[in-house]
Amino acid sequence: MQIPDNETLLAGIRAWVEVETPTGHAVGINQLMDMVGAEFAAIGAELDRTPGREGQGDHLLARLPWRGAVPPATEPGALILSHLDTVHAVGTLEQLPFRIEGDLAYGPGTSDMKGGAYIAYRAIRSLIEAGIDTPLPVRMLFTSDEETGSETSRALIEGLSEHAKYVLVTEPARSGGKIVTGRRGVGRYGLSAKGRAAHAGTNHALGRSAIRELAHKLIEIEGQTDYDRGVTFNIGRIWGGTSDNTVPEEASMRIDMRFTDQADGAAMDAWLRQLTPVDPDVAISLTGGLNRPAYSKTNAIAALFEHAKGLAGEAGWVLEDLHTGGGSDGSFVATRVPTLDGLGVDGAEAHTLTEHLYISSLQPRMALLRRLLETLA
């Protein structure tokens, strides 16, 4: 099996990393979609590009040659899911430039998930260059809004999965190289309060503080966290008010909810919707809802994992799996289609200014992706 050397793989990853693509930065994302599309076109893929909407970048589907032609998207096949958006704002490269230190390659999106997306592309390319026809047609989807909940790509993902026998997701590996066979569900919400403004010095009693109301709600909501049930709430951002000496009329906060059992997710969603203000003179309003469903290792996922574990064993390494708390696009399809997640590079500290991948993971994990495509039928 011909696997590119690490220097070649890192050069390709670097080119993708050095195009900054925070979610919502359509210019940067579409620039990278252009680059990725050109690389796939060069190996004979047909491209279906979905224009971005609601301020997001485009989505790109690459359909690969199979048995002498590119089959229609309805032909049952293997679907690879990747996203090109990151959480890192434009300008992060100045603080976190692509660099190599020993076995670590640093840069925004190196592990989550440009590294994984790139090695999947190289796995496909290596098969085509070797003249190997896979048992199933292969399609690879690149989306632009995964990090904020996939609101403009979810329908596309779910539609493509209807014609997939297997789904492979190039999210980064977990805990030293483990792949993901189950994920907690995700809910994302905004809670806003509207009170009454007043001068804090001369008319304080006339004011009704929106921030004070949300402070009550923060304690009430985060108090519903139950680690034994696998339910957690996190208030990630809160803002409001206009000046130090004005009773704040408006305030808002963002709520992240995670749950292990789908019934718990539905119950907590209903609980959030019945919240009432402590101060009857302050109005509150909730937006958002359940974003990604929870799933656990089904029999079909277990069989797919055992197959992947066997392939890794043939190459001399032990593949393990886990159930994790983070959401992914795989969550949308895993209850219906056998799905393996976390097949991307091994790395650490994603979403931070020390995000990196382990260079030693590049070739083994590319080889595993290739072997999966060679053997899934």
Side-chain angles (χ1 to χ4, degrees):
M1 182 189 303
Q2 186 66 34
I3 299 293
D5 58 29
N6 285 334
E7 184 176 352
T8 299
L9 293 175
L10 286 168
I13 292 169
R14 178 174 188 166
W16 289 17
V17 166
E18 290 187 337
V19 179
E20 294 187 289
T21 56
T23 315
H25 181 52
V27 171
I29 287 173
N30 290 344
Q31 179 185 345
L32 184 52
M33 291 289 181
D34 290 343
M35 291 170 54
V36 172
E39 296 199 57
F40 271 92
I43 58 174
E46 288 189 4
L47 306 175
D48 297 331
R49 188 151 168 170
T50 303
R53 57 186 176 83
E54 299 174 20
Q56 304 296 342
D58 297 351
H59 311 302
L60 179 69
L61 175 68
R63 295 185 288 122
L64 280 302
W66 185 66
R67 299 180 181 176
V70 175
T74 54
E75 181 76 26
L79 174 64
I80 302 173
L81 296 180
S82 299
H83 65 86
L84 294 182
D85 61 314
T86 75
V87 302
H88 299 286
V90 172
T92 301
L93 275 170
E94 296 178 10
Q95 301 170 278
L96 179 59
F98 186 91
R99 69 185 191 280
I100 294 170
E101 296 180 5
D103 189 40
L104 309 183
Y106 289 87
T110 46
S111 66
D112 188 14
M113 61 182 297
K114 292 178 180 178
Y118 185 80
I119 63 170
Y121 153 69
R122 291 301 300 229
I124 293 167
R125 175 174 162 179
S126 71
L127 288 167
I128 291 174
E129 290 176 342
I132 296 173
D133 229 350
T134 55
L136 296 173
V138 177
R139 304 175 191 99
M140 188 167 182
L141 177 66
F142 297 87
T143 62
S144 65
D145 64 349
E146 190 273 345
E147 293 291 2
T148 55
S150 306
E151 292 184 5
T152 71
S153 57
R154 178 173 181 171
L156 181 60
I157 293 164
E158 291 176 334
L160 289 169
S161 74
E162 293 178 3
H163 307 290
K165 292 187 69 174
Y166 304 96
V167 174
L168 308 176
V169 187
T170 62
E171 289 286 352
R174 298 292 194 274
S175 303
K178 296 177 182 177
I179 62 174
V180 175
T181 53
R183 287 184 180 272
R184 293 166 71 200
V186 182
R188 290 185 173 176
Y189 303 86
L191 184 64
S192 297
K194 185 174 180 61
R196 184 188 307 146
H199 191 290
T202 60
N203 291 307
H204 188 276
L206 298 179
R208 298 293 184 267
S209 172
I211 289 178
R212 181 176 182 273
E213 185 62 46
L214 288 194
H216 284 292
K217 289 293 168 279
L218 185 154
I219 299 300
E220 188 176 357
I221 291 169
E222 291 207 347
Q224 293 296 311
T225 291
D226 186 334
Y227 295 120
D228 291 337
R229 288 169 57 202
V231 173
T232 58
F233 283 92
N234 181 68
I235 309 302
R237 290 184 293 147
I238 186 167
W239 64 96
T242 55
S243 68
D244 292 353
N245 60 351
T246 304
V247 176
E249 181 177 13
E250 295 183 348
S252 299
M253 66 186 188
R254 295 294 302 173
I255 306 165
D256 178 282
M257 177 177 71
R258 307 288 167 129
F259 50 92
T260 300
D261 183 87
Q262 195 66 26
D264 282 335
M268 298 315 299
D269 177 82
W271 178 81
L272 283 169
R273 296 183 188 284
Q274 58 78 48
L275 288 172
T276 57
V278 172
D279 185 338
D281 291 333
V282 177
I284 61 172
S285 60
L286 184 77
T287 59
L290 298 179
N291 174 256
R292 288 188 170 93
Y295 76 94
S296 296
K297 184 162 61 173
T298 62
N299 290 337
I301 292 175
L304 181 54
F305 168 70
E306 289 301 321
H307 178 70
K309 183 177 179 180
L311 296 176
E314 291 174 5
W317 56 290
V318 177
L319 186 65
E320 298 178 283
D321 68 321
L322 51 65
H323 186 287
T324 189
S328 116
D329 286 339
S331 303
F332 297 134
V333 301
T335 58
R336 294 180 286 107
V337 183
T339 299
L340 279 186
D341 205 335
L343 284 165
V345 300
D346 193 8
E349 300 179 43
H351 293 203
T352 76
L353 291 177
T354 51
E355 180 173 342
H356 58 270
L357 62 78
Y358 299 122
I359 298 170
S360 56
S361 75
L362 294 178
Q363 291 182 311
R365 297 189 79 84
M366 176 187 155
L368 177 60
L369 282 162
R370 173 173 160 154
R371 290 290 292 140
L372 283 166
L373 297 176
E374 282 182 309
T375 57
L376 290 177

